[in-house]
Amino acid sequence: MSVVEETFDVVVIGAGHAGCEAGLACARLGLETIVFTVSMDSVAFMPCNPHIGGSSKGHLVREIDALGGQMGINIDKTYLQSKMLNTSKGPAVHSLRAQADKVMYALEMRRTLAETDHLTLRQGEVTDLIIEDGRITGVKMFSGAIYHCKAAILCTGTYLKARCLYGNVIEHTGPNGLKSANYLTQSLIDHGVEMQRYKTGTPARIDRKSIDFSKMEPQYGDQRVVPFSFTTDPDSIQKEQVPCYLTYTNEETHDIIRAHLDESPIYAGIIEGTGPRYCPSIEDKVVKFSDKQRHQLFVEPESAFSDEMYISGMSSSMPEAVQYEMYHTVPGLENCKITRNAYAIEYDCIKANQLYPTLEFKNIHGLFSGGQFNGSSGYEEAACQGLIAGINAAMEVLGREQIVLDRSQAYIGVLIDDLVTKENREPYRMMTSRAEYRLLLRQDNADLRLSKIGHEVGLISDERYEKLLEKERMIEEEIQRVKTVNIGANEPVQKFLEAHNSIPLKKGMKLAELVRRPELNYQMLADIDPTRPELPEDVQEQVDINIKYEGYIERQIKQIADFKKLEDKKIPEGIDYDDVSSLRLEAQQKLKALRPISIGQASRISGVSPADISVLLVYLEQGKYLK
Ligand SMILES: Cc1cc2nc3c(=O)[nH]c(=O)nc-3n(C[C@H](O)[C@H](O)[C@H](O)COP(=O)(O)OP(=O)(O)OC[C@H]3O[C@@H](n4cnc5c(N)ncnc54)[C@H](O)[C@@H]3O)c2cc1C
């Protein structure tokens, strides 16, 4: 019996948040790309929280957009509510967060895939990798079909050998009852890939009509919405927004959970997978924070096309009847109707230290991976990896240099470095505290940091790049002007300062000095700065931040220079660590296993001490590895 046999440049396994970015990147770079999914209904599907962005995740979305990815544009078109978080704090932690219309988000992404040249979207389960002489050459389908390729990208998310659990109910499906993928894990193991099992969970969905919102605090979006994408015209996306609601669990909720803890598959030890510390189930919260009398819950709309509400903060795997009991204790949910049960999901994924920072497998040439499959958690974390894996798979096929973003360039660089260098034992979620250079890695300057790379790769158009260069020129010129303009101690100035509770001037002062005053900023000083040119909002924002935080920024730039010294010290691929005699045994073993690409990366491997790094540096300087 004949089987279907086709050839593509790139095969992408998965059409989730990672797979969509990977497929779009490859197709937009002109490569014939096929994106597989076990179910067309899982394209850009949001199986959990209906929001994009939030602390540090908003940074990832801006960086994806700056590199030429799709997530930012997609959420700007499909948001229900949007809010800039942490505005009372410094710009380094300002983060955009938008409630997504899950239905529209998936449809909009699917339309983008459909309208992209060179991209084929195909329902079908990949069961085997075809590898010849250590290089990927194709994949085999459940149907028996064979797809040949020059590179492949694994973005299988939470579907590999997935099973969903609540109480003693176990369903061998992917999220939301979608088909799981049960064969590829074995093929990966057969090709020497180390697998592990992770888990995550989701709360019940509640029928909006059964909720008493009068017992909750409405949470509104920003008056004027700031877009995620640098290409979105802010005026084009202003619209009426949908509120979320704040409520709380209480002691009664906690008592029910404590009384039935042994019926939770997590606490009954049925669940094998490791869960995310920073997205705990309500059971975990009640056990780990037993002193807390209540836990915050946000009631969020899922879509304008459904009446389902998402209860953020109450994910669980308790038996169905216990779910009803515990949700009914929450103010506003006393008579709620559950439309979908809460559940936990287990799935197979890899230990990401089998990958280079390019997200290519060290032992399988041309095979890349991204997303939850790499041990991360979250739509944004998945999408940024999919984009980088897609770019590098394309670079591999085009015979061009692959890209690595380091920790000083992007949150994406921090995320990938942490995944491939550290021994992560739970799903990895991004946080601002993980980024040591976060004052420079702000969400507001992602384009200035990364769009040049996006342009070099070919995902940012010349037109968009020209606009960026113009923006850079305007920022630089205006910063110089503000540093040279003198503001006299005249009456209008004194009146202005008094009106803003700012100390009056004894004598003239540079405008920049006034910008640095905590109670003032560049934008508001326009009233006493008559020679100021008309400048776009985003340019004004950059001028304000760069002048206000100049000292801190300069200090961080110095720190980065030191970091770069070790990061740019590359380690030759063929180095024999057994030959570096004075290395400690543990360090030798770790370095042989991880094969870091730079001294910087080597220095971040646990078990490799600064003394080991000195030994390695001397060994490299003496060129002993050349013999
Ligand atoms: C129940 C649940 C709760 C979650 N809770 C949280 C949370 O609280 N916090 C958080 O940050 N994240 C959470 N997540 C995780 C995360 O947000 C998502 O899983 C995210 O969708 C990951 O994106 P991805 O692209 O890596 O994979 P997914 O979105 O899972 O997409 C995987 C894609 O791969 C396809 N696929 C898989 N195997 C094959 C195969 N062999 N052949 C062909 N196609 C295949 C699937 O059809 C799908 O299209 C949760 C996920 C789930 C399922």
Side-chain angles (χ1 to χ4, degrees):
M1 184 181 69
S2 66
V3 296
V4 171
E5 220 169 318
E6 289 190 53
T7 300
F8 286 82
D9 293 316
V10 182
V11 164
V12 179
I13 305 161
H17 305 277
C20 290
E21 296 292 346
L24 285 169
C26 293
R28 286 170 173 167
L29 291 169
L31 299 177
E32 288 308 321
T33 306
I34 186 163
V35 177
F36 288 109
T37 175
V38 289
S39 159
M40 283 296 188
D41 302 324
S42 70
V43 175
F45 173 54
M46 301 170 91
C48 190
N49 45 280
H51 55 249
I52 296 277
S55 185
S56 78
K57 290 167 179 272
H59 294 63
L60 292 174
V61 181
R62 279 275 174 89
E63 293 181 358
I64 291 166
D65 185 75
L67 287 165
Q70 192 66 23
M71 183 176 253
I73 296 168
N74 211 60
I75 185 64
D76 284 347
K77 290 179 182 170
T78 59
Y79 77 93
L80 292 172
Q81 184 201 99
S82 182
K83 202 173 174 52
M84 185 66 81
L85 305 181
N86 303 328
T87 48
S88 61
K89 300 177 182 155
V93 290
H94 290 183
S95 259
L96 208 47
R97 182 182 187 275
Q99 296 300 128
D101 183 314
K102 283 186 172 185
V103 176
M104 286 307 297
Y105 186 92
L107 290 176
E108 189 61 45
M109 186 64 88
R110 199 161 157 191
R111 175 164 53 188
T112 304
L113 296 178
E115 290 171 353
T116 302
D117 294 341
H118 309 296
L119 196 149
T120 303
L121 182 61
R122 181 84 165 76
Q123 180 164 306
E125 180 181 346
V126 174
T127 55
D128 290 279
L129 300 181
I130 305 170
I131 294 169
E132 293 160 23
D133 306 325
R135 169 177 278 282
I136 186 89
T137 59
V139 298
K140 194 169 173 210
M141 308 304 290
F142 184 74
S143 65
I146 292 178
Y147 290 83
H148 302 285
C149 62
K150 298 178 189 124
I153 309 169
L154 289 156
C155 301
T156 56
T158 56
Y159 288 73
L160 289 191
K161 282 216 175 128
R163 62 177 192 160
C164 297
L165 310 91
Y166 57 92
N168 56 13
V169 175
I170 300 178
E171 295 169 306
H172 292 275
T173 70
N176 266 27
L178 290 165
K179 188 174 170 303
S180 59
N182 297 323
Y183 302 94
L184 191 54
T185 296
Q186 191 53 49
S187 174
L188 288 159
I189 292 170
D190 295 346
H191 290 293
V193 174
E194 256 188 271
M195 303 299 291
Q196 60 183 343
R197 200 137 173 89
Y198 274 179
K199 80 108 190 162
T200 186
T202 196
R205 302 322 191 251
I206 305 287
D207 184 339
R208 160 193 290 277
K209 299 186 290 304
S210 68
I211 298 176
D212 178 356
F213 293 105
S214 69
K215 295 190 176 152
M216 302 177 175
E217 296 162 38
Q219 310 285 308
Y220 299 105
D222 288 340
Q223 286 284 325
R224 181 165 170 75
V225 166
V226 176
F228 268 103
S229 177
F230 294 97
T231 62
T232 300
D233 168 11
D235 298 332
S236 69
I237 61 163
Q238 307 306 321
K239 62 183 177 187
E240 195 189 336
Q241 300 179 53
V242 181
C244 299
Y245 297 85
L246 173 59
T247 184
Y248 299 87
T249 62
N250 49 47
E251 277 304 328
E252 196 190 346
T253 324
H254 304 168
D255 290 345
I256 290 168
I257 292 169
R258 289 189 194 104
H260 295 276
L261 213 47
D262 59 344
E263 296 169 51
S264 139
I266 299 171
Y267 286 83
I270 297 168
I271 284 191
E272 303 146 18
T274 311
R277 180 197 319 247
Y278 300 105
C279 282
S281 65
I282 188 66
E283 293 97 290
D284 280 344
K285 289 182 201 174
V286 169
V287 170
K288 291 186 181 135
F289 312 107
S290 52
D291 57 328
K292 283 195 81 175
Q293 295 181 335
R294 66 180 190 167
H295 295 281
Q296 265 190 344
L297 303 175
F298 287 95
V299 179
E300 303 173 9
E302 292 238 318
S303 170
F305 296 89
S306 94
D307 259 349
E308 292 187 284
M309 299 295 279
Y310 174 91
I311 314 301
S312 179
M314 211 165 170
S315 78
S316 172
S317 58
M318 278 292 189
E320 187 175 49
V322 178
Q323 291 189 27
Y324 276 93
E325 253 191 277
M326 66 188 200
Y327 280 99
H328 284 165
T329 64
V330 173
L333 301 183
E334 293 84 352
N335 306 306
C336 75
K337 291 197 176 74
I338 291 180
T339 54
R340 299 177 208 237
N341 292 333
Y343 64 91
I345 184 168
E346 276 186 329
Y347 55 93
D348 289 348
C349 59
I350 61 163
K351 294 184 175 174
N353 53 20
Q354 299 170 84
L355 305 171
Y356 288 118
T358 56
L359 296 181
E360 184 178 14
F361 275 81
K362 290 171 182 166
N363 301 334
I364 306 172
H365 207 40
L367 183 64
F368 297 78
S369 63
Q372 200 96 359
F373 175 79
N374 285 354
S376 66
S377 188
Y379 310 133
E380 306 80 0
E381 286 87 345
C384 70
Q385 291 171 63
L387 179 62
I388 297 296
I391 289 172
N392 285 334
M395 296 297 111
E396 169 66 20
V397 174
L398 295 166
R400 292 172 57 190
E401 194 182 345
Q402 298 181 24
I403 68 166
V404 171
L405 299 176
D406 71 35
R407 305 180 72 89
S408 70
Q409 291 173 292
Y411 271 79
I412 297 174
V414 173
L415 183 150
I416 293 177
D417 183 63
D418 284 349
L419 278 176
V420 304
T421 306
K422 299 185 175 162
E423 287 162 26
N424 300 293
R425 290 192 177 76
E426 59 182 67
Y428 178 97
R429 184 197 155 121
M430 181 42 84
M431 295 180 288
T432 49
S433 56
R434 294 188 193 276
E436 54 271 42
Y437 307 118
R438 57 184 166 277
L439 182 57
L440 286 176
L441 305 184
R442 304 182 314 272
Q443 47 122 35
D444 58 72
N445 68 357
D447 57 342
L448 300 165
R449 289 184 281 119
L450 299 173
S451 289
K452 185 167 183 299
I453 297 171
H455 182 249
E456 279 162 7
V457 159
L459 289 177
I460 296 285
S461 67
D462 292 346
E463 186 209 347
R464 184 172 167 184
Y465 186 53
E466 285 309 317
K467 280 195 187 141
L468 180 88
L469 294 178
E470 174 59 12
K471 177 177 174 179
E472 272 180 351
R473 189 191 57 71
M474 285 194 274
I475 294 167
E476 207 32 58
E477 261 180 30
E478 181 58 2
I479 288 175
Q480 291 321 314
R481 186 191 72 85
V482 171
K483 284 185 174 177
T484 51
V485 163
N486 236 344
I487 301 295
N490 52 49
E491 199 192 333
V493 168
Q494 303 297 32
K495 272 215 178 93
F496 170 87
L497 293 173
E498 195 183 335
H500 291 87
N501 302 321
S502 196
I503 304 163
L505 300 184
K506 291 197 182 65
K507 58 183 173 54
M509 173 187 275
K510 292 285 180 246
L511 178 57
E513 290 313 308
L514 289 174
V515 172
R516 292 195 185 102
R517 290 188 175 184
E519 68 281 9
L520 303 175
N521 64 36
Y522 168 81
Q523 290 84 338
M524 68 202 318
L525 284 159
D527 299 353
I528 57 170
D529 179 15
T531 60
R532 172 174 302 200
E534 269 300 306
L535 292 168
E537 278 175 52
D538 57 350
V539 170
Q540 295 186 36
E541 182 183 31
Q542 290 308 313
V543 173
D544 180 59
I545 293 172
N546 281 284
I547 288 180
K548 221 179 220 334
Y549 298 92
E550 188 173 24
Y552 300 102
I553 290 173
E554 274 169 8
R555 202 178 313 143
Q556 199 134 94
I557 289 171
K558 284 205 186 77
Q559 292 163 350
I560 288 174
D562 295 342
F563 160 81
K564 286 275 188 191
K565 283 198 196 104
L566 291 185
E567 212 59 22
D568 296 343
K569 192 106 186 107
K570 299 303 175 198
I571 299 176
E573 208 163 317
I575 188 168
D576 173 6
Y577 288 106
D578 292 330
D579 188 42
V580 191
S581 50
S582 18
L583 267 181
R584 287 172 319 106
L585 182 61
E586 183 194 8
Q588 221 165 33
Q589 289 164 342
K590 288 278 177 80
L591 290 167
K592 275 164 65 175
L594 244 104
R595 303 221 300 276
I597 63 169
S598 70
I599 291 290
Q601 190 188 11
S603 68
R604 292 188 292 276
I605 297 170
S606 69
V608 176
S609 70
D612 296 314
I613 293 297
S614 316
V615 165
L616 202 47
L617 277 169
V618 172
Y619 180 85
L620 292 177
E621 262 132 38
Q622 290 169 342
K624 284 191 179 158
Y625 60 87
L626 292 170
K627 69 178 184 311

